[in-house]
Amino acid sequence: MRDITDPRMLRAMAHPLRLRLINELGLHGPATATQLAERVGESAANCSWHLRQLAKFGFIEEAEGGVGRNRPWRWVPMGNRWGGPDEPPELMQAGSELNATLLAQELALRDQWDEQRQSDDTSWRHAAFTVQNVTWLTADELKALEDELVAVLTKHNQRITDPASRPEGSRPVRMVAWANPNPS
């Protein structure tokens, strides 16, 4: 797990297209800027520029097997953590911007699922869920809950980088969780 303490790193990742590019590389493996441009509906030149920005901060790297414009990129499989309790204001602001972009992307993908849900396989319609809850916790209990949730949400992460470990019939499944005290 990489602890991000440089606000420039958070801002580099906070761009919606960059998050989509990271997502594409993580889910589908190495690809060139041209291939990614076709998948995300952007120009190859624009994707190439954003890929270089992501590589500058170590989120992706060049993959083997290409040169020049046919150079494939690959996701660097490393978790990222930010938002420590004593971070400076600039880092806190950059983290808030990234969180907002991440959540907007996840909510848009959740909305897409709702639109296509009825045409999907019955087993997937029954397996998908949304849970919302409010309860009373101490700060120590909330931290313990975070540790438990992270363990559950990352239990199958090896399947991202090892396609052979994916069970037959498995699909990428998006999971999002957050917990914060109720605003006063």
Side-chain angles (χ1 to χ4, degrees):
M1 184 70 70
R2 171 177 38 195
D3 285 310
I4 298 178
T5 59
D6 183 347
R8 294 173 303 161
M9 287 182 78
L10 293 176
R11 288 193 181 98
M13 198 173 24
H15 191 283
L17 176 56
R18 292 179 192 162
L19 288 174
R20 287 172 44 213
L21 293 170
I22 290 170
N23 191 55
E24 284 294 321
L25 293 171
L27 289 176
H28 304 293
T32 64
T34 301
Q35 292 167 326
L36 290 164
E38 291 172 10
R39 291 185 207 163
V40 300
E42 295 284 338
S43 73
N46 192 30
C47 287
S48 181
W49 188 84
H50 284 290
L51 289 165
R52 288 191 307 275
Q53 298 308 304
L54 290 168
K56 187 186 312 184
F57 291 102
F59 297 116
I60 66 168
E61 64 187 10
E62 288 186 37
E64 294 181 10
V67 293
R69 292 176 188 245
N70 292 321
R71 177 180 58 207
W73 296 91
R74 74 176 195 91
W75 171 62
V76 175
M78 181 183 302
N80 298 296
R81 181 176 34 219
W82 63 89
D86 300 318
E87 64 190 22
E90 186 180 10
L91 187 63
M92 187 177 292
Q93 178 62 35
S96 292
E97 292 167 11
L98 176 54
N99 287 340
T101 304
L102 279 168
L103 288 175
Q105 181 184 56
E106 292 299 334
L107 289 171
L109 290 166
R110 175 68 175 82
D111 289 346
Q112 280 183 296
W113 161 250
D114 267 348
E115 290 174 13
Q116 74 179 41
R117 182 181 201 145
Q118 288 307 311
S119 63
D120 210 320
D121 183 82
T122 302
S123 63
W124 285 102
R125 289 196 319 255
H126 287 281
F129 65 92
T130 300
V131 175
Q132 190 279 335
N133 188 48
V134 176
T135 192
W136 292 79
L137 300 173
T138 66
D140 288 341
E141 289 171 325
L142 182 56
K143 178 61 181 137
L145 181 60
E146 175 197 12
D147 295 342
E148 291 174 42
L149 284 172
V150 168
V152 169
L153 294 176
T154 60
K155 180 179 177 180
H156 300 291
N157 273 7
Q158 82 283 358
R159 295 178 181 176
I160 296 170
T161 56
D162 180 13
S165 69
R166 299 173 189 164
E168 186 175 328
S170 65
R171 291 167 56 178
V173 174
R174 307 192 77 82
M175 297 177 277
V176 177
W178 71 80
N180 54 265
N182 197 57
S184 303

